[in-house]
Amino acid sequence: MSTSTLDATRAELGLLVLYLNKAEVRDKICRAIQYGSKYLSDGKPGTAQNVDKTTSLARKVFRLFKFVNDLHALISPTSSGSPLPLILLGKSKNALLSTFFILDQIVWAGRTGIYKNKERAELIGRISLFCWMGSSVCTALLELGELGRLSASIKKLEKELKQADKYKEEQYLAKLKQSNERLLSLIKASMDIVVAIGLLQLAPKKVTPRVTGAFGFVTSLISCYQLLPASRTKVKMT
């Protein structure tokens, strides 16, 4: 193996290590395992269902004090120029998501035996899932609104560029990239609504454990993709 190949391999492994060192990445990988197992088990007892349940419990440890992130976003000032409806949707999403993470800690305490009232823990678990579903609805509506704004901005830019090659313009390419990212987030949020419906068993005949598992697995992979580094760090050769 040549020195350049070895350096390139080392650089790639270094990026992989940095990626896997993120708690959020490990959580999403566990989430993919959890929902993949749910799809395989289809709600029936067995090894796959055991993996689903144990992974679900393990993930709750990754989410300890995660509510602080959305609480901080909730009280932080918004960017200037954003329409009021989109600001309210964003703040509602943060409020619901932080509430979900707070209640999820109680669910974790109930499943580990720290919190002894099992009935109340189950009720809190359902309330937390409704909060998560609500935050997913807010996210979907927010992304839809932002996509509308981006679409109008892109059309305006196209008119300004006229005969020029728009794909050579950095501003145009940046807006296209933002649009694609928003679209992916919209798809993910919409699919997560279905996952929440499945977990809450609001439509058990249509959204079966297998459907829930499939949708959850796909959204987990999308999350893993979204957490990839935006650009690779160049390694200086010495």
Side-chain angles (χ1 to χ4, degrees):
M1 186 180 288
S2 64
T3 305
S4 59
T5 306
L6 187 63
D7 287 337
T9 305
R10 192 184 296 115
E12 292 291 336
L13 285 173
L15 286 172
L16 182 62
V17 169
L18 288 173
Y19 179 68
L20 294 175
N21 275 343
K22 296 178 182 177
E24 187 74 12
V25 171
R26 294 198 298 273
D27 175 49
K28 298 310 176 187
I29 291 171
C30 287
R31 188 179 190 268
I33 294 169
Q34 176 193 343
Y35 283 103
S37 301
K38 187 180 287 292
Y39 171 80
L40 292 173
S41 71
D42 195 21
K44 297 171 184 175
T47 305
Q49 191 180 68
N50 290 338
V51 173
D52 172 17
K53 289 180 178 179
T54 53
T55 311
S56 174
L57 185 61
R59 284 186 61 225
K60 295 187 186 302
V61 179
F62 287 114
R63 300 202 293 258
L64 285 170
F65 303 109
K66 197 177 176 181
F67 67 89
V68 175
N69 295 343
D70 283 281
L71 197 60
H72 180 263
L74 180 64
I75 62 175
S76 296
T78 56
S79 58
S80 58
S82 297
L84 183 60
L86 295 185
I87 291 172
L88 292 175
L89 279 171
K91 295 300 182 184
S92 298
K93 180 195 81 170
N94 294 139
L96 286 165
L97 210 50
S98 59
T99 304
F100 162 70
F101 286 126
I102 290 169
L103 296 178
D104 199 49
Q105 308 308 295
I106 301 172
V107 175
W108 171 76
R111 290 184 184 178
T112 53
I114 298 169
Y115 185 68
K116 302 298 182 183
N117 194 328
K118 289 186 178 180
E119 289 184 4
R120 184 164 292 179
E122 288 296 321
L123 177 62
I124 290 170
R126 282 189 65 81
I127 294 169
S128 72
L129 286 173
F130 273 112
C131 288
W132 180 57
M133 184 171 70
S135 73
S136 297
V137 171
C138 288
T139 302
L141 293 173
L142 179 62
E143 296 299 341
L144 202 59
E146 290 291 358
L147 274 170
R149 292 179 70 201
L150 272 171
S151 178
S153 180
I154 289 170
K155 285 179 181 178
K156 183 181 177 182
L157 193 59
E158 284 175 343
K159 287 181 180 178
E160 290 174 358
L161 293 171
K162 294 180 181 178
Q163 301 300 323
D165 188 354
K166 57 189 179 184
Y167 293 105
K168 290 183 179 179
E169 292 291 329
E170 288 186 11
Q171 189 181 0
Y172 183 80
L173 292 174
K175 287 187 181 294
L176 271 185
K177 185 183 177 184
Q178 287 176 28
S179 181
N180 290 334
E181 287 171 353
R182 292 283 185 185
L183 181 60
L184 188 61
S185 294
L186 173 61
I187 293 168
K188 177 179 171 293
S190 301
M191 293 182 76
D192 273 338
I193 293 169
V194 178
V195 175
I197 290 170
L199 294 174
L200 287 163
Q201 296 183 333
L202 299 178
K205 291 184 179 179
K206 292 183 178 180
V207 187
T208 61
R210 180 151 284 177
V211 172
T212 305
F215 274 61
F217 182 74
V218 172
T219 57
S220 300
L221 294 182
I222 292 173
S223 295
C224 288
Y225 170 76
Q226 289 174 325
L227 289 167
L228 284 170
S231 59
R232 293 184 178 183
T233 305
K234 292 182 180 180
V235 180
K236 293 182 180 179
M237 302 296 179
T238 57

